[in-house]
Amino acid sequence: MESKGAGYEVIYKRPEAMTDAKTIYCPGCGHGIIHKLLAESIDELGVREETILIAPVGCSVLAYNYIDVDGCEAAHGRAPAVATGIKRVHPDKMVISYQGDGDLLAIGTAETIHAANRGENITVIFVNNAIYGMTGGQMAPTTMVGQVTKTTPFGRDANDVGFPIRACEMINTLECPVFIERVSVFDVKQIVKAKKAIKKALTNQKEGKGYSFVEVLSMCPTNWGVKPQVAADWVRDVMVPYYPLGNFRDR
Ligand SMILES: Cc1ncc(C[n+]2csc(CCOP(=O)(O)OP(=O)(O)O)c2C)c(N)n1
Ligand code: SF4
């Protein structure tokens, strides 16, 4: 904590690893919160100068405008492959792949599985908001059964399109990953836990331990067509029972 004049003490401030840019995110969106947790963790580990953030295709496509680190854009779903290349060429850098569910579990499924299976020493932050945000709310692999989206106007029907994919459980079948955890940002208690998991996933990479995966259950009030508080409650009441929170692996 630093002092700021007589009678004032700064107890909360913008992380140094965040720029002053205003984000494009809608009110109640989880991306801004998750960015802040990531930036705080980067600050606390003192790795801002050596971090390379791979931004996804999706609403957080401009993550490198908000998180003040070196960055790189990857084509839809290819972030783990790009992260692999960068990390292998620069093993001393902190390489973070930040992806939504459309990016990571639809077009990027193969890259996701194989980077995890190879045990690349990278950190993957997976933002699961159960929908394609940026393109207007189409069904994602993580859309809940019965959830109405632009492409499932009568609700997701598992007979037609299968059941939502549980990424942590799937990755937990692989040998190499060292850290797999599912967290959320629907309330302050969960945000605190999410921060801990994100920081741990970065610490693992710094210590050369290997592949870490953090899934964050997040809100997309705009495409769910609800107010922010209702969206946060929906994560807690509908998503969490299907996507249980907790640590799956910590080696
Ligand atoms: C190869 C390719 N296919 C499709 C698109 C269109 N596209 C852009 S963003 C997006 C969905 C992103 O959704 P998600 O990854 O869930 O991120 P969110 O916007 O919800 O954060 C799609 C399909 C694209 N840019 N490139
Ligand atoms: S559309 Fe959804 S994911 Fe995209 S910024 Fe808005 S709330 Fe966030």
Side-chain angles (χ1 to χ4, degrees), residues 15 39 60 79 108 115 118 121 132 186 209 212 221:
S60 47
R118 293 190 303 268
N121 187 28
Y132 282 18
F186 64 76
K209 283 191 174 170
S212 293

Side-chain angles (χ1 to χ4, degrees), residues 54-114:
I54 320 297
V57 167
C59 280
S60 47
V61 66
L62 297 176
Y64 44 74
N65 278 352
Y66 311 133
I67 303 181
D68 197 8
V69 295
D70 285 338
C72 178
E73 182 64 51
H76 203 293
R78 312 302 181 226
V82 172
T84 297
I86 292 175
K87 185 71 185 183
R88 287 190 177 200
V89 173
H90 297 289
D92 54 324
K93 301 287 184 197
M94 176 72 75
V95 181
I96 304 166
S97 176
Y98 183 106
Q99 302 172 261
D101 40 63
D103 192 83
L104 182 139
L105 264 188
I107 202 160
T109 319
E111 283 78 1
T112 296
I113 300 285
H114 290 291

Side-chain angles (χ1 to χ4, degrees), residues 5-251:
Y8 290 98
E9 191 174 32
V10 177
I11 57 167
Y12 184 82
K13 62 178 184 176
R14 177 186 287 268
E16 276 174 23
M18 284 209 89
T19 67
D20 289 336
K22 284 189 180 155
T23 72
I24 56 160
Y25 305 126
C26 312
C29 176
H31 276 305
I33 302 170
I34 301 162
H35 281 18
K36 191 196 73 167
L37 301 182
L38 189 53
E40 281 178 356
S41 302
I42 290 168
D43 281 358
E44 286 166 24
L45 292 173
V47 293
R48 191 168 73 84
E49 291 295 327
E50 62 220 53
T51 295
I52 300 174
L53 180 74
I54 320 297
V57 167
C59 280
S60 47
V61 66
L62 297 176
Y64 44 74
N65 278 352
Y66 311 133
I67 303 181
D68 197 8
V69 295
D70 285 338
C72 178
E73 182 64 51
H76 203 293
R78 312 302 181 226
V82 172
T84 297
I86 292 175
K87 185 71 185 183
R88 287 190 177 200
V89 173
H90 297 289
D92 54 324
K93 301 287 184 197
M94 176 72 75
V95 181
I96 304 166
S97 176
Y98 183 106
Q99 302 172 261
D101 40 63
D103 192 83
L104 182 139
L105 264 188
I107 202 160
T109 319
E111 283 78 1
T112 296
I113 300 285
H114 290 291
N117 194 45
R118 293 190 303 268
E120 301 294 342
N121 187 28
I122 59 173
T123 302
V124 177
I125 309 294
F126 168 41
V127 183
N128 177 359
N129 59 16
I131 209 158
Y132 282 18
M134 182 192 228
T135 45
Q138 297 87 355
M139 191 197 90
T142 50
T143 294
M144 302 303 297
V145 170
Q147 186 181 338
V148 171
T149 71
K150 284 273 165 59
T151 47
T152 56
F154 304 110
R156 177 178 184 153
D157 181 350
N159 292 318
D160 280 344
V161 292
F163 286 86
I165 299 174
R166 295 183 178 101
C168 286
E169 286 81 345
M170 191 169 67
I171 289 171
N172 200 23
T173 65
L174 306 172
E175 291 297 324
C176 284
V178 295
F179 185 78
I180 306 167
E181 188 157 320
R182 183 180 290 123
V183 293
S184 188
V185 288
F186 64 76
D187 70 11
V188 173
K189 191 172 162 200
Q190 301 307 322
I191 291 171
V192 171
K193 286 186 181 172
K195 161 77 184 296
K196 216 171 147 202
I198 289 171
K199 190 170 172 188
K200 180 79 198 313
L202 294 181
T203 305
N204 287 344
Q205 184 180 161
K206 195 175 180 195
E207 293 174 354
K209 283 191 174 170
Y211 182 91
S212 293
F213 184 85
V214 179
E215 173 174 350
V216 189
L217 303 184
S218 183
M219 295 76 72
C220 178
T222 301
N223 284 303
W224 297 353
V226 295
K227 292 198 157 100
Q229 186 58 56
V230 177
D233 293 346
W234 193 81
V235 174
R236 181 194 62 210
D237 298 339
V238 179
M239 290 182 76
V240 171
Y242 188 83
Y243 298 113
L245 302 179
N247 182 266
F248 291 78
R249 189 181 298 183
D250 185 3
R251 285 183 181 151

